[in-house]
């Protein structure tokens, strides 16, 4: 049974107390972070962690991120803190950065999917921090959506996806970043970005004082979202090289009988066909990231079978947006 969310205008501290008591009892709580909503469980409770995988429909080899209340407790969960981790924590925590480090014995292998490394972050959403501080342990929390689908950026998205299967949703409004955290692997010799996200490569390079090496894809590292069609809406997503071609392509596909969604730049003409749902790319990249997943869901709600988009410039947050669009498009996209 789902306990109804405590809205942002309701009694927030009561919601936090309830969330913490559900977590202590081994239950599953969806909670807001600045990136996307997480599906939290006590990381040290094997039954609760197993239920996270079951509810999400996620393979148990696909590791979870550990959420902790502050960098002060990092040493409880990792066997060693390299200088680079101290530096990045000082710059970006609390915030949308996840670090992969060597796990300590306290981190169950069920959380890491059997890996000797653990992904760990301190989120900055005030309600997430309140829950984590009061819980005083670590929460294993993937994004609160079914495996492979679009991450939730508000409580209503969580309720629509998982409402029937989880114990509590803590409503903290819409997520301010809107795409998942950046995952940087600090467990090897060179820091490597495994997933672009809310903190840009450029910001990390400035903080570390050196350029990052390109990721090496191997069969052993579980590169996030490496499964085909990760972060995908129901519609087929097609990435178009040139945004100027979008209106004509949308018209052509609609005339062949498809319901088409198109994500158009602000300055291009709308396609006025009833079978075409047009949404606009916000002019600021930060707003594009914040609204991306809600727009993909909106296309689904309109019954779009095909969604046409073009790529943003891959700088700053644009790299995370481009990554998610590419994954939503799946292996068919050649962008
Ligand atoms: O912003 C976020 O990171 C959100 C919020 C809720 O914190 N969480 C999130 O979790 O996106 P999830 O489970 O949807 O994605 C976590 C990714 C997984 O794709 C997994 O492959 C990667 O983190 N990951 C976890 N542990 C890892 C490890 N030890 N090595 C490499 N990748 C790891
Ligand atoms: Mg996810």
């Amino acid at each position: 049974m789902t306990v109804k969310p405590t809205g942002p205008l309701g009694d927030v501290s009561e919601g936090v107390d309830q969330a913490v008591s559900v977590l202590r009892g081994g239950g599953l709580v969806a909670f807001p972070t600045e990136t996307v909503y997480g599906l939290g469980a006590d990381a040290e409770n094997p039954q609760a962690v197993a239920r996270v995988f079951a509810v999400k429909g996620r393979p148990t080899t696909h590791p979870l991120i550990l959420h902790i209340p502050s960098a002060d407790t990092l040493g409880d969960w990792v066997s060693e803190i390299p200088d680079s981790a101290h530096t990045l924590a000082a710059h970006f925590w609390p915030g949308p950065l996840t670090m992969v480090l060597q796990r300590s014995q306290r981190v169950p292998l069920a959380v890491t999917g059997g890996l000797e490394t653990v992904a760990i972050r301190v989120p900055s959403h005030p309600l997430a921090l309140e829950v984590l501080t009061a819980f005083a342990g670590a929460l294993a929390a993937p994004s609160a959506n079914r495996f492979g689908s679009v991450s939730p950026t508000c409580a209503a998205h969580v309720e629509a996806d998982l409402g029937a299967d989880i114990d509590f949703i803590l409503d903290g409004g819409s997520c301010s970043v809107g795409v998942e955290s950046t995952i940087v692997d600090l467990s090897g010799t060179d820091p490597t970005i495994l997933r672009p996200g809310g903190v840009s490569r450029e910001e990390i390079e400035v903080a570390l004082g050196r350029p990052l090496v390109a990721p090496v894809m191997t069969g052993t590292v579980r590169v996030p979202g490496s499964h085909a069609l990760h972060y995908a809406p129901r519609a087929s997503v097609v990435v178009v090289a040139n945004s100027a071609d979008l209106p004509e392509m949308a018209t052509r596909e609609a005339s062949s009988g498809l319901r088409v969604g198109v994500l158009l730049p602000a300055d291009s003409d709308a396609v006025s066909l009833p079978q075409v749902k047009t949404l606009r790319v916000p002019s600021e990249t930060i707003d594009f990231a914040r609204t991306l997943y809600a727009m993909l869901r909106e296309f689904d709600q309109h019954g779009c079978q095909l969604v046409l988009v073009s790529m943003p410039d891959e700088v700053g947050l644009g790299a995370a947006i481009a990554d998610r669009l590419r994954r939503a498009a799946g292996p068919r996209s050649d962008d």
Side-chain angles (χ1 to χ4, degrees), residues 56 58 142-145 149 151 180 195 230-231:
K56 271 193 69 95
R58 170 161 165 154
S143 52
N145 54 282
S149 72
S151 295
E180 295 82 352
R195 176 178 74 180
H230 220 88
Y231 310 100

Side-chain angles (χ1 to χ4, degrees), residues 31 33-39 56 58 61-67 96-101 111-113 115-121 123 141-145 147 151 179-183 185 187 194-195 221-226 230-231 324:
F31 65 98
T33 83
E34 72 283 15
T35 59
V36 301
Y37 274 69
L39 178 61
K56 271 193 69 95
R58 170 161 165 154
T61 51
H62 200 91
L64 306 177
I65 294 178
L66 215 60
H67 295 66
L97 182 82
T98 295
M99 298 194 240
V100 173
L101 294 162
V111 170
T112 70
L115 296 175
E116 285 304 324
T117 54
V118 60
I120 193 158
R121 86 177 185 103
S143 52
N145 54 282
F147 184 62
S151 295
V179 290
E180 295 82 352
S181 60
T182 302
I183 302 180
D185 187 352
S187 67
L194 299 181
R195 176 178 74 180
V221 176
R222 317 285 204 272
V223 177
S226 58
H230 220 88
Y231 310 100
R324 303 309 187 271

Side-chain angles (χ1 to χ4, degrees), residues 44 64 67-68 103 117 130 229 284 317:
E44 295 175 278
L64 306 177
H67 295 66
I68 58 172
R103 75 175 180 105
T117 54
E130 278 191 47
L229 286 178
E284 299 294 331
L317 267 180

Side-chain angles (χ1 to χ4, degrees), residues 179-329:
V179 290
E180 295 82 352
S181 60
T182 302
I183 302 180
V184 56
D185 187 352
L186 302 175
S187 67
T189 32
D190 293 308
T192 308
I193 291 183
L194 299 181
R195 176 178 74 180
V199 174
S200 71
R201 160 181 290 270
E202 295 85 345
E203 291 170 292
I204 293 171
E205 289 179 339
V206 168
L208 291 177
R210 62 170 164 138
L212 294 170
V213 296
V216 180
M217 302 295 174
T218 73
T220 52
V221 176
R222 317 285 204 272
V223 177
S226 58
H227 292 254
L229 286 178
H230 220 88
Y231 310 100
R234 282 196 297 276
S236 303
V237 175
V238 170
V239 176
V240 175
N242 186 349
S243 64
D245 297 336
L246 285 169
E248 194 195 317
M249 279 191 69
T251 306
R252 195 170 59 232
E253 297 292 349
S255 66
S256 75
L258 287 179
R259 281 193 70 84
V260 180
V262 63
L263 198 46
L264 282 180
D267 55 358
S268 69
D269 291 340
V271 184
S272 38
L273 287 174
Q275 312 91 296
V276 178
K277 172 68 188 169
T278 300
L279 293 176
R280 295 289 179 176
V281 175
S283 52
E284 299 294 331
T285 311
I286 195 172
D287 296 323
F288 191 4
R290 195 170 46 73
T291 55
L292 172 67
Y293 289 147
M295 291 194 289
L296 293 178
R297 281 171 189 264
E298 198 174 336
F299 286 131
D300 274 348
Q301 272 155 16
H302 279 270
C304 297
Q305 295 149 299
L306 176 69
V307 169
L308 302 174
V309 296
S310 62
M311 282 294 176
D313 288 340
E314 294 195 43
V315 288
L317 267 180
I321 298 168
D323 173 78
R324 303 309 187 271
L325 288 175
R326 217 174 264 127
R327 293 183 197 283

Side-chain angles (χ1 to χ4, degrees), residues 103-168:
R103 75 175 180 105
S104 75
Q105 291 303 312
R106 192 167 169 188
V107 179
L109 285 171
V111 170
T112 70
L115 296 175
E116 285 304 324
T117 54
V118 60
I120 193 158
R121 86 177 185 103
V122 179
S124 66
H125 192 292
L127 288 189
L129 285 174
E130 278 191 47
V131 169
L132 286 164
T133 304
F135 182 69
L139 296 181
S143 52
N145 54 282
R146 304 261 179 226
F147 184 62
S149 72
V150 177
S151 295
T153 52
C154 67
H157 295 166
V158 180
E159 194 155 29
D161 278 5
L162 302 178
D165 296 331
I166 64 179
D167 304 303
F168 192 71

